[in-house]
Amino acid sequence: MKEGMLIGIDIGGTCSKIGLVDNGKVIGTARIPTTGHADEHAFADALASEVRRLSEKHGASPAAIGIGAPNANQLTSIIEMAPNLPWTHDVPLAKMMEERTGLRSVLGNDANAAALGEWQYGAGKGYNDLLVVTLGTGVGSGFISNGQLILGSHGNAGEVGHMTIVIDGRPCTCGRGGCLEAYVSIRGLRQTYLELDGDEALLEKHEGVRFLSEAAERGDEAALQTFRHAARWLSVGLANAVAATGPARIVLFGGIARSGKWLMDPLQKWFDRALLNIYHGRVDIVASALPDDDAAILGAAALTAM
């Protein structure tokens, strides 16, 4: 059996990805649905089964498991009432996986895991002051400051997606209103497209937001305006984050970040306007340099070293 490998697990709102990591490379993957299980115990059973199957397939004896999940608190090893996951109560997933696999398991916030992945292997490599923002079902973020992942006193610092950018704005899954996530997540972009009189039939036909890029390419004005609005909201959130921690680079990660010029061009324009003067020319915004699956898995595995 090959020793010293790691398992990285990325828990998503609809799908959870498991990867076998060898010396910073993902050499095997599997996935299971996050939804559709009887409860969190059945979900943990399914995860553990895939970990064993993947390890046996590659003749590996993993040293540890790292898990990235929404609302995961690294200090308590608990997923705390995640609004975008099937369970509304606390789930001690690290302990549950240790009981099922016998492997040391470390649980951390999924955006923090993505930040670690980008910092060690991707577009954030070499930047000891870094902000990684995940744009998908929700909006997550992870901060590296002076070469350290910021956790805060309670383990849940750095929630850029839940900064209020619109007073009395759209309801957010966190229970408040006007959060950045309510405007620049997948759900937020789809809502904006509808509010701009976009093609409702087109929206119902497609999940996610890839169709928006295709519509923008065709000159669909509602799609173009959706990206412009999203870019302006996101620019304010990012500029506020820069004012707080002063990163040298911001990496955007996730499906929405792959919208290319439709998001990035207006974002750069609005970000330059929103940014505090002292930071002009000192911080750039780039898209992730890693495939989504690899970055999340590598970052989750990297949690085991913390």
Side-chain angles (χ1 to χ4, degrees), residues 11 17 36 88 99 105 114 133 139 146 151 158 199 229 235 250 288 301:
I11 308 294
K17 302 152 193 169
T88 57
E99 291 172 347
S105 299
V133 178
V139 175
N146 293 325
L151 296 176
D199 186 340
H229 283 294
S235 72
I250 299 171
S288 172

Side-chain angles (χ1 to χ4, degrees), residues 211-248:
F211 80 94
L212 281 175
S213 298
E214 296 169 352
E217 191 74 47
R218 296 192 301 270
D220 183 324
E221 187 58 29
L224 290 166
Q225 287 292 341
T226 294
F227 282 118
R228 290 169 190 153
H229 283 294
R232 190 166 190 183
W233 285 315
L234 183 57
S235 72
V236 173
L238 296 181
N240 287 342
V242 169
T245 65

Side-chain angles (χ1 to χ4, degrees), residues 120-134:
Q120 295 191 16
Y121 308 109
K125 193 171 184 177
Y127 288 83
N128 281 336
D129 291 277
L130 178 73
L131 167 60
V132 176
V133 178
T134 63

Side-chain angles (χ1 to χ4, degrees), residues 80-261:
E80 299 176 340
M81 298 178 291
N84 296 319
L85 293 181
W87 321 287
T88 57
H89 51 274
D90 291 350
V91 177
L93 189 59
K95 179 181 178 182
M96 295 166 73
M97 290 301 291
E98 287 185 347
E99 291 172 347
R100 286 163 172 78
T101 66
L103 297 174
R104 182 175 69 89
S105 299
V106 179
L107 176 70
N109 181 273
D110 57 346
N112 284 344
L116 289 174
E118 289 292 344
W119 183 41
Q120 295 191 16
Y121 308 109
K125 193 171 184 177
Y127 288 83
N128 281 336
D129 291 277
L130 178 73
L131 167 60
V132 176
V133 178
T134 63
L135 302 171
T137 304
V139 175
S141 53
F143 289 85
I144 306 290
S145 182
N146 293 325
Q148 297 289 326
L149 180 65
I150 296 178
L151 296 176
S153 59
H154 300 290
N156 43 25
E159 289 286 356
V160 168
H162 294 291
M163 295 192 306
T164 302
I165 60 164
V166 179
I167 301 297
D168 298 324
R170 291 177 184 170
C172 181
T173 56
C174 73
R176 304 189 309 151
C179 293
L180 183 64
E181 180 174 301
Y183 295 87
V184 299
S185 62
I186 290 173
R187 180 174 52 255
L189 264 66
R190 289 172 66 88
Q191 182 173 341
T192 299
Y193 182 68
L194 272 183
E195 291 174 355
L196 292 169
D197 295 323
D199 186 340
E200 188 170 355
L202 182 64
L203 185 73
E204 292 176 351
K205 184 179 178 181
H206 297 278
E207 296 181 351
V209 294
R210 182 179 297 179
F211 80 94
L212 281 175
S213 298
E214 296 169 352
E217 191 74 47
R218 296 192 301 270
D220 183 324
E221 187 58 29
L224 290 166
Q225 287 292 341
T226 294
F227 282 118
R228 290 169 190 153
H229 283 294
R232 190 166 190 183
W233 285 315
L234 183 57
S235 72
V236 173
L238 296 181
N240 287 342
V242 169
T245 65
R249 168 161 284 188
I250 299 171
V251 180
L252 301 184
F253 172 87
I256 295 172
R258 293 196 299 270
S259 300
K261 65 180 181 179

